[in-house]
Amino acid sequence: LKTSVQPVNLLNTPELRVKKETPVVQKLQKYSASGSEYLSPSVISQYIECPMRFYYDKIAGIKEVEEITEEADARIFGKIFHEVLENYYKPLKAKTISADTVNSWLNDTSLIEKRINEAFASQMGPHSGSQLEGKNILIFEVLKNYIIQFFKKEKELAPFVFIDAERKVKQTYATQSGVRINLGGTIDRLHRKDGMLYIIDYKTGSGTSQIASLENLFETKKHKENKAIFQTLLYGLLINPEEDGA
């Protein structure tokens, strides 16, 4: 019995590059101080992780095709989580959130379920909230557990003053080279405790809360796991602590 072995040489995949020629530079001007659009933390993360994906999406205008599905994917999961929390906190703007308040939320599981159903309907259609099926039933239970665990952490943190949710921020930032660019985005939540302003960026995916060095935030291979830290720090650059009592 003999085994025939033949060497296989794989072709080197050519590296995709786009030269920053006049048409590309002109389209990038929309993010300059004279333009009307801004670079959000998520867009900058997109560029750091994959410059070509940034080019296709923001410069060439080639969007990824969104699949129509009856099941909540990771993106919809995050949106539902955000919406549920916003509906709890938004009516309490500029008010103190006490441990008793959070405890009342924890004890009312029927309200948690109701708000998850409402968020499902908001994100996936009017009938999805009342007719969960298949994988969505499991996602519902995971979301419910996420929210309960989140409130338990909030109870430990209380009391604190809730400042705002979904706060839009933007600023024109001058780089070291003198180029002025528009930065901006939406902060999930702001609150104040013991005289300190907290910027909260909800994440339902994986990540880390520590970095070995600031340089890791800007390295393509290491950025994804450090994305949450990068985006929160960037929001810290954009926020005006004196605005609206923040």
Side-chain angles (χ1 to χ4, degrees):
L1 179 64
K2 293 183 179 181
T3 301
S4 178
V5 178
Q6 295 292 331
V8 177
N9 295 321
L10 299 177
L11 295 175
N12 291 327
T13 304
E15 185 178 0
L16 294 176
R17 287 181 175 272
V18 175
K19 294 182 179 180
K20 291 180 182 176
E21 297 176 336
T22 302
V24 174
V25 173
Q26 287 177 340
K27 289 189 176 183
L28 285 171
Q29 289 299 314
K30 63 185 178 181
Y31 298 115
S32 69
S34 60
S36 59
E37 297 188 32
Y38 56 82
L39 291 166
S40 67
S42 59
V43 170
I44 297 175
S45 286
Q46 182 188 55
Y47 177 82
I48 295 172
E49 289 182 24
C50 182
M52 284 305 301
R53 187 153 58 94
F54 170 86
Y55 169 78
Y56 288 133
D57 185 12
K58 304 302 179 184
I59 306 302
I62 301 174
K63 305 292 184 182
E64 293 185 33
V65 178
E66 291 190 7
E67 296 183 3
I68 298 175
T69 176
E70 294 181 353
E71 295 180 344
D73 57 17
R75 179 179 59 86
I76 296 297
F77 183 99
K79 287 187 173 183
I80 292 172
F81 181 82
H82 278 65
E83 184 173 327
V84 170
L85 294 184
E86 183 182 3
N87 287 338
Y88 269 98
Y89 285 96
K90 200 71 172 179
L92 300 174
K93 186 174 180 178
K95 295 183 179 180
T96 298
I97 307 296
S98 67
D100 288 341
T101 298
V102 181
N103 202 46
S104 69
W105 297 344
L106 280 168
N107 291 332
D108 192 351
T109 54
S110 62
L111 179 59
I112 294 175
E113 293 172 352
K114 178 176 181 289
R115 289 191 163 166
I116 295 175
N117 279 323
E118 290 171 347
F120 257 101
S122 172
Q123 297 297 329
M124 300 188 66
H127 300 296
S128 61
S130 59
Q131 299 177 359
L132 293 179
E133 297 177 349
K135 185 179 176 182
N136 285 345
I137 296 175
L138 297 177
I139 292 173
F140 177 97
E141 292 301 325
V142 172
L143 273 164
K144 180 180 174 181
N145 185 57
Y146 261 51
I147 292 163
I148 289 173
Q149 295 305 316
F150 179 84
F151 284 159
K152 287 181 179 179
K153 290 294 183 182
E154 291 287 89
K155 184 179 175 181
E156 295 174 7
L157 178 65
F160 57 86
V161 178
F162 171 68
I163 302 296
D164 203 0
E166 301 298 312
R167 166 74 69 85
K168 296 187 182 301
V169 292
K170 58 182 178 179
Q171 183 184 124
T172 300
Y173 180 79
T175 65
Q176 291 183 345
S177 62
V179 176
R180 293 175 61 79
I181 57 175
N182 296 329
L183 300 176
T186 304
I187 298 175
D188 291 337
R189 189 177 108 197
L190 292 167
H191 74 247
R192 185 179 290 280
K193 181 178 175 65
D194 299 331
M196 184 176 293
L197 178 66
Y198 288 77
I199 298 172
I200 309 298
D201 192 34
Y202 301 137
K203 296 295 182 186
T204 53
S206 61
T208 181
S209 59
Q210 296 180 333
I211 53 172
S213 67
L214 288 175
E215 287 75 14
N216 287 355
L217 297 177
F218 302 93
E219 290 188 19
T220 296
K221 293 182 179 179
K222 297 180 180 180
H223 181 79
K224 187 173 183 179
E225 63 183 85
N226 298 312
K227 184 187 299 185
I229 299 174
F230 170 81
Q231 294 183 0
T232 305
L233 288 174
L234 187 52
Y235 281 129
L237 175 69
L238 298 177
I239 191 67
N240 179 1
E242 305 303 322
E243 185 180 355
D244 297 332

